[in-house]
Structures are given as structure tokens and as C-alpha cells.
Amino acid sequence: MTSLERILAVCAGKIPDRVPFLLASREFSSRQAGMSLLDCYTQPERYIDSQVRLVDEFGLDGVYDIWCTPAVDELLGATLEFSSSDSASIPNGSVSCLDDVKRLPKVDPRREGRAPYLLDVVRRLKKAVGDSVAVIAWASSPFRTASMLRGVTDFYRDLKRDPAFAHALLNAVHGPCTAYGKALVEAGADIVCSSNPGANMQCISRPYYEEFSHPYTREMFGAIRQQGAKAVMFHTCGKWDDRLDLVVKENIDIVHCDRVDIAGFKAKYSGSAVLMGNLRAVEVLLQGTEESVGRAARECLAQGKEGGRYILSADCSVPRDTPAGNVRAMGAAVRDSGRYDRGDGEK
Ligand SMILES: [Zn+2]
């Protein structure tokens, strides 16, 4: 069974040979290769090599693109700030009124701005790993892009004071976000992943999530599936307990969970989505020992493995300074304790 087959098996409700193992690893792989994050944007071959090395050295079942680079936001007028050790950020909003929304440019994320570079990285990643390993590529969700263009605080205020304006902005960015997600599939991404850290329970209440995030995400992910994505993955940064029932209805195959109880999630939502997670990236993977990482990974497997529908991962992206031995210990745990014996758990 290949790595990609292993992941697609759990998505299809089948039992693979062992639990798949994925890590959002842009920072970690760059560090391992002696690159800064800035180098990723100018030296595609080195970034691709750094990802392929993780598959070879740590037994990961997939590679990631230069994820969380908001190329669409930039095309729509946002100014990105890059740093050598952190994700690109957008310090200020660029949309302040309805006229600004109407003036947003018509963009083609296949051909303009930074997007073609990122798409080319996806294309080359697929070529490098072939059919056997999953290529996972990131697309911004409409809610995330809207809040970046508007400025996060102002956008939260709009949800309450001017919902029509918030919807106008969401509708304007929905097309470009979806077009970029579809372009990732065309470029060779097997799995399109997205994230929306500003829509967790600490940021907005469930009714706001249901009105301003849920329908737009569901539509976008549906279109990406129609484009031929083998799976759609959504990363829930922070706490999402009161809205996971909505998330699993958003045309999502895999929920990469941050703070959830694995057994509890599986009991409730296993029929709707695969759970991926959630060994603590900072407290255990970065700061722990090989022994404590191995123990935590086996605890995750003990809760998640039975019946399939589970991918071992960290709860968020792997910190760049994570000791290689700790990642190796996680891989060893999945090879030892993540194996399904014939007939094990088959339903
Ligand atoms: Zn996260």
C-alpha cells in the first residue's frame, strides 16, 4: 500500500495497513535543510528537496506546499510582510468601505502575482514524489481572506454592526479563493487544505460562524472537490468544539484538529470525517523527549486507531526548532503501534 493509498483508504472508510502519518512541516523541513522561510520563496528546488527528505527520513505519508502563504489576499490588494522565521503576515487592512469592495480587482490566480510561483512548487512537488505520496496544498478560506483585507478587528465589528457589508466582502473574495483552490488541484495537489484561525470559539460565537463562515467554506470546498481533489482537509486552530458539527458538513474529508479529545471526536463525527491530530506540537514535539513523544503518539493511536478514520499528526504545524529525534520517535510509534492486523477493526 502506498502512502497516498493509505490516506485515501481512511477517507473512504476502509482499513489501511497502518495509520497514516502526516505533519504540516514547512518550518521544520526548511530548518532541517538550513533554509530560512524567505528562501522558500526564491529557491523552489531547495524547498521541494527539504519536503522530499522528510518523507525519506521520517516516513511521512505526504508533503506540504509553502502553506499559509496568502497569495490571493495579496492579489486583492493586501500587503504581505515576510520574515525569515515566521509565516507571511498582513499587518493592515486595505478595504474600508463598500466602494473598496466594488473596486477589488478581477484576478486570475493562475497567472498573476505570487500564485504562479506557489502553483509551480505544487507541480514540482508532485513530480518529485510521484503517485505514491500525497501532495497537500493550502488555500485561504473566504472568511480568513475577508478578515485580512478588512483588518481583523474591523471585520469582527462588521459582523455585528454591518452584516450586509461583511457578506458583500465575503462574496467578493469567494470567487478568487475558490479559483486558487481549483488551480492547486490542476497543478497536482492531491489534498487541498485550508484553515481559518480567526473563526474559532475564542474569536466568534457559533451563530456568527454559521452565518459568515460555514456557507462560504462549504461552497468553496464543494467546488474544489468537483475539480477533482482527492480529499479536502480543514485545520481547526484553537477550540472548535461547539461548531465541529458544522465543519464536518463543509465538504471536508479530513479535519486536522487542534484541541479535541480524539476518542470523543471519533464517537461523534467518524461517520462524517477523518480525524487528523493531535499530539501537542509545542509542549510535546518541540519541548519533550523522544520517550515522551513516543508515549504521547501511542496515546493518540490508542484513542484514534480503532476502526480507521484516523491520521496521526501534531495539533498544528511543527515548530521549526523541533529536534529531529522527536519526529523520528513519532514515526517509530506509528510504525510499531499504528499497524492494523488483518481484519483488525474492519467494519
Ligand atoms: Zn493550528
Side-chain angles (χ1 to χ4, degrees):
M1 183 166 252
T2 68
S3 288
L4 180 57
E5 285 168 351
R6 192 170 288 134
I7 295 166
L8 297 182
V10 294
C11 291
K14 295 179 182 152
I15 303 294
D17 55 346
R18 67 155 167 81
V19 171
F21 176 36
L22 293 174
L23 289 171
S25 51
R26 175 188 62 166
E27 289 84 354
F28 176 68
S29 80
S30 307
R31 181 68 158 195
Q32 289 292 304
M35 304 169 67
S36 78
L37 279 184
L38 288 173
D39 295 332
C40 300
Y41 298 104
T42 53
Q43 301 174 39
E45 285 303 336
R46 281 185 75 196
Y47 178 73
I48 291 156
D49 285 349
S50 77
Q51 282 289 311
V52 174
R53 266 176 55 186
L54 292 195
V55 173
D56 296 339
E57 284 187 36
F58 301 99
L60 289 165
D61 287 312
V63 293
Y64 276 77
D65 73 338
I66 312 175
W67 86 324
C68 287
T69 306
V72 171
D73 307 12
E74 191 178 36
L75 275 180
L76 292 171
T79 302
L80 268 54
E81 275 188 7
F82 289 89
S83 108
S84 59
S85 58
D86 241 328
S87 291
S89 62
I90 298 170
N92 299 303
S94 51
V95 167
S96 55
C97 61
L98 199 54
D99 279 343
D100 288 346
V101 174
K102 289 175 185 159
R103 279 196 290 266
L104 285 174
K106 299 273 174 275
V107 297
D108 181 354
R110 286 173 182 79
R111 291 182 183 81
E112 295 169 49
R114 204 175 302 274
Y117 178 87
L118 297 170
L119 293 168
D120 191 50
V121 166
V122 171
R123 212 169 281 122
R124 294 199 213 184
L125 272 170
K126 190 70 238 179
K127 199 170 168 207
V129 297
D131 291 336
S132 60
V133 173
V135 172
I136 303 160
W138 182 85
S140 178
S141 61
F143 188 96
R144 207 207 60 84
T145 289
S147 62
M148 290 295 109
L149 293 182
R150 177 74 173 111
V152 176
T153 310
D154 285 329
F155 189 63
Y156 289 149
R157 216 173 272 138
D158 297 335
L159 303 186
K160 188 172 175 61
R161 294 185 189 161
D162 196 352
F165 172 64
H167 280 297
L169 179 54
L170 284 160
N171 276 309
V173 304
H174 180 266
C177 287
T178 304
Y180 183 68
K182 289 161 87 171
L184 290 172
V185 179
E186 284 173 7
D190 300 295
I191 300 172
V192 174
C193 73
S194 188
S195 53
N196 191 0
N200 66 29
M201 284 170 66
Q202 286 97 347
C203 297
I204 56 171
S205 67
R206 179 186 163 105
Y208 285 117
Y209 182 82
E210 194 163 12
E211 178 175 352
F212 295 100
S213 183
H214 174 65
Y216 295 96
T217 315
R218 188 182 55 207
E219 204 177 310
M220 173 178 162
F221 294 161
I224 290 170
R225 267 184 173 175
Q226 278 199 337
Q227 187 69 21
K230 295 185 182 80
V232 172
M233 178 194 290
F234 185 72
H235 172 51
T236 58
C237 235
K239 273 190 86 66
W240 287 65
D241 292 357
D242 78 343
R243 58 206 63 185
L244 286 170
D245 62 314
L246 296 170
V247 169
V248 298
K249 291 185 195 126
E250 291 171 6
N251 290 307
I252 286 165
D253 300 282
I254 302 164
V255 185
H256 175 195
C257 280
D258 185 347
R259 305 280 148 163
V260 300
D261 166 61
I262 292 176
F265 180 100
K266 286 201 69 179
K268 270 191 183 164
Y269 304 118
S270 219
S272 307
V274 170
L275 169 63
M276 172 167 144
N278 61 357
L279 187 141
R280 297 279 173 263
V282 174
E283 300 91 320
V284 180
L285 201 51
L286 172 68
Q287 297 171 341
T289 61
E290 292 176 25
E291 291 71 32
S292 65
V293 169
R295 201 162 46 241
R298 283 190 293 276
E299 279 167 22
C300 289
L301 289 163
Q303 287 189 57
K305 178 185 158 188
E306 195 188 329
R309 304 289 275 168
Y310 177 63
I311 298 171
L312 180 68
S313 186
D315 59 7
C316 200
S317 58
V318 179
R320 67 186 185 125
D321 295 325
T322 299
N326 286 3
V327 177
R328 215 165 272 125
M330 207 173 164
V334 81
R335 280 190 300 281
D336 293 347
S337 308
R339 196 155 287 283
Y340 291 100
D341 297 325
R342 200 176 308 184
D344 179 17
E346 188 98 42
K347 284 186 179 159

